[in-house]
Amino acid sequence: MTTIAIACDHAAWQLKDELAAWLRDAGHDVTDLGTNGPESVDYPDYGYRLGEAIADGQAAFGVALCGSGIGISIAVNRNPACRAALVNEPLSARLAREHNDANVIALGARLTGIEMAKACIETFLATDFLGDRHQRRVDKLGQPKN
């Protein structure tokens, strides 16, 4: 069983609810960090919450959702412990894990339907990081040079 934190803004709360239920049905422990309705909220707040959950070890993986997936992925990536990848189909989800050791998958609720979102998450969770030549590159992500 994998612990997964999921967070979204107002544009993605319905997709979040569907994905959280689907992940629970698949046997995962899901931490829902909100939001939970259509009232306007600021995606950075939820991206930061998700980043903290990953950094604190509360979750092994995260699912970040907003209208496009862009804003919340930027917010999550402000946390040095996170490597959030915005994906649109299973191949990019697989490569994000294999090559970048991504620990957060970001999706756009206005751009990605429920079945494609499930396919992306399923691939993301089933894929291992390849390490080897990719490890040194991932290590550099936590040590930016001026």
Side-chain angles (χ1 to χ4, degrees):
M1 178 166 60
T2 303
T3 303
I4 301 167
I6 189 167
C8 70
D9 73 355
H10 56 279
W13 69 273
Q14 291 173 311
L15 180 61
K16 176 194 59 83
D17 285 353
E18 288 183 60
L19 291 173
W22 172 73
L23 287 164
R24 286 186 184 104
D25 288 347
H28 300 288
D29 181 20
V30 178
T31 302
D32 185 337
L33 301 173
T35 195
N36 297 304
E39 297 78 25
S40 183
V41 297
D42 298 332
Y43 61 80
D45 297 336
Y46 294 90
Y48 296 153
R49 279 186 200 172
L50 182 54
E52 289 172 13
I54 297 293
D56 294 347
Q58 297 170 36
F61 294 103
V63 177
L65 308 164
C66 68
S68 68
I70 297 168
I72 200 163
S73 67
I74 292 170
V76 170
N77 279 322
R78 296 283 189 222
N79 190 309
C82 297
R83 290 172 305 283
L86 175 60
V87 305
N88 297 303
E89 35 47 54
L91 176 59
S92 57
R94 180 175 60 83
L95 292 172
R97 288 287 305 130
E98 285 182 347
H99 293 197
N100 309 114
D101 198 18
N103 52 11
V104 176
I105 184 172
L107 299 157
R110 293 181 178 139
L111 306 173
T112 308
I114 184 67
E115 294 308 317
M116 183 58 74
K118 287 177 182 179
C120 290
I121 294 169
E122 190 170 58
T123 299
F124 186 84
L125 294 174
T127 303
D128 292 325
F129 176 50
L130 292 176
D132 193 36
R133 66 188 166 101
H134 302 290
Q135 184 63 59
R136 81 171 186 282
R137 297 170 185 151
V138 170
D139 291 344
K140 287 181 177 184
L141 292 173
Q143 302 168 0
K145 300 198 185 236
N146 294 333

